[in-house]
Amino acid sequence: ISHQPSTAIFIQTGSLDWIGFQEKMQMIAQGKALLPLGLERQTAPAGSVLRLPIVRLRSGPVRPCRRAVMVHAAELQSQDMERWEAGVRDGRVRNISCADVISLQREGWLFLDVRPPGEMERAPIKGAVHVPLFVPEESNDIGALIKKATDFGMGSWWLGGTHYIPNSKFMSEVLAKVPRDSRIIVACQKGLRSLAACEQLSRSGFPQVAWINGGLDTARKGQVPTTNDVDVRFAGIGGLSEVIGWTEVQREESQGKSAVLGGLDGVIKLFAAILLADLALFAYEQIVFMTGQAPPV
């Protein structure tokens, strides 16, 4: 993309016949241009150049128009919803459960795991192709550290995880690993990221895509086999909730077994015993301080 401040923006088209919403919004946010409504409907041969007029609001740098941007975003969202509903109606997009995974794999469907690397490594799925939709933030600049601290304070201390950023190479990695004519099962741990990935895959021309409603956290043991025989739900736990055994999958796993410290009840009793011992020690120290001598044992 080359920016000509006083005249136009020139966009060289690639293999796709539309400019993605995220890219357009980035350009708008950078003050480069207010792109015309309905741009995603324009087509051009690969390698050609589209000359797009810009909106000059005042002398000096181009500024985005907030109201027009909001209208544009609303129209894009409506168009995306229409495309999605059309895909559901004609069978190109399917809503499935974890119970359907094995049977669909036997029919030749390919399993695409879009979980972050850490979750995938804890419970790798048999026969799956792994391409993360989001990856951990590796930068440690001040902005990234603030985001990581915010995530920690908002719940990662309890649930685990870290701050993630979109994988900018997601579609290129998918196309390098997955044949274009594949029927794809898309899955993540909670179901939200896989839904976003499913929309991208459908838009990119894959004939049929299916997403697991609710994600892998809704699986029962054995419904989604893993290469290390770990229940796939264990990939989604972490933080303090995992340490004390508070998660549903841990409590289910510990039924009928001897859990560490007797399970959650044992952990609570241990903390209560530590608290009582601390209070007793405090009382002993107060007696010594007030009497000047240790009481008889």
Side-chain angles (χ1 to χ4, degrees):
I1 299 175
S2 61
H3 178 214
Q4 304 293 329
S6 60
T7 54
I9 285 180
F10 296 87
I11 298 179
Q12 184 164 349
T13 62
S15 59
L16 298 179
D17 63 354
W18 52 274
I19 307 301
F21 171 72
Q22 183 178 6
E23 289 78 5
K24 286 188 284 187
M25 295 304 292
Q26 286 176 347
M27 293 168 67
I28 292 170
Q30 294 166 4
K32 292 182 177 178
L34 181 61
L35 300 182
L37 302 183
L39 175 60
E40 67 283 356
R41 298 298 187 185
Q42 299 187 25
T43 61
S48 63
V49 174
L50 299 178
R51 185 178 185 277
L52 306 176
I54 64 174
V55 176
R56 193 174 184 84
L57 302 178
R58 63 180 70 178
S59 60
V62 177
R63 305 295 184 194
C65 175
R66 180 175 298 179
R67 183 174 180 179
V69 169
M70 293 175 64
V71 171
H72 184 46
E75 290 198 0
L76 286 173
Q77 185 177 14
S78 176
Q79 292 164 6
D80 287 342
M81 182 62 68
E82 290 176 2
R83 285 194 295 266
W84 179 263
E85 291 176 350
V88 173
R89 287 194 300 269
D90 62 23
R92 289 185 295 108
V93 179
R94 296 176 57 177
N95 181 345
I96 65 172
S97 70
C98 289
D100 301 317
V101 169
I102 293 178
S103 61
L104 287 177
Q105 284 182 308
R106 288 172 179 167
E107 293 175 11
W109 287 66
L110 184 146
F111 196 109
L112 179 63
D113 184 353
V114 300
R115 295 177 296 171
E119 293 180 2
M120 184 278 297
E121 290 166 1
R122 293 191 67 177
I125 296 169
K126 287 184 178 179
V129 173
H130 179 241
V131 181
L133 184 64
F134 286 82
V135 293
E137 171 67 84
E138 296 181 355
S139 173
N140 286 317
D141 60 31
I142 185 64
L145 291 176
I146 291 174
K147 293 175 183 177
K148 292 177 183 179
T150 301
D151 282 351
F152 182 82
M154 293 294 289
S156 63
W157 64 272
W158 176 254
L159 298 173
T162 184
H163 177 65
Y164 295 100
I165 59 175
N167 178 8
S168 60
K169 300 179 180 179
F170 174 72
M171 278 308 307
S172 61
E173 291 179 4
V174 169
L175 295 174
K177 296 180 179 181
V178 180
R180 179 75 74 167
D181 59 351
S182 299
R183 296 175 295 171
I184 305 175
I185 303 168
V186 189
C188 67
Q189 204 66 36
K190 308 294 182 184
L192 297 177
R193 293 169 180 166
S194 59
L195 182 59
C198 196
E199 201 277 337
Q200 290 188 47
L201 294 167
S202 175
R203 204 168 54 195
S204 296
F206 286 93
Q208 283 186 291
V209 291
W211 71 285
I212 298 178
N213 192 355
L216 298 173
D217 277 354
T218 63
R220 297 290 93 188
K221 190 172 183 179
Q223 286 183 337
V224 183
T226 58
T227 59
N228 57 2
D229 294 327
V230 171
D231 189 320
V232 72
R233 292 173 293 173
F234 276 96
I237 65 176
L240 183 59
S241 62
E242 179 183 10
V243 172
I244 66 175
W246 187 265
T247 64
E248 179 182 353
V249 65
Q250 286 175 299
R251 284 182 284 178
E252 181 181 312
E253 190 78 9
S254 66
Q255 288 180 357
K257 297 182 180 180
S258 177
V260 177
L261 299 177
L264 179 60
D265 291 340
V267 173
I268 294 174
K269 291 176 182 178
L270 175 62
F271 277 104
I274 293 173
L275 179 60
L276 289 173
D278 187 61
L279 289 173
L281 178 61
F282 176 76
Y284 175 83
E285 291 174 344
Q286 290 301 308
I287 293 173
V288 171
F289 175 76
M290 295 177 65
T291 63
Q293 59 181 1
V297 179

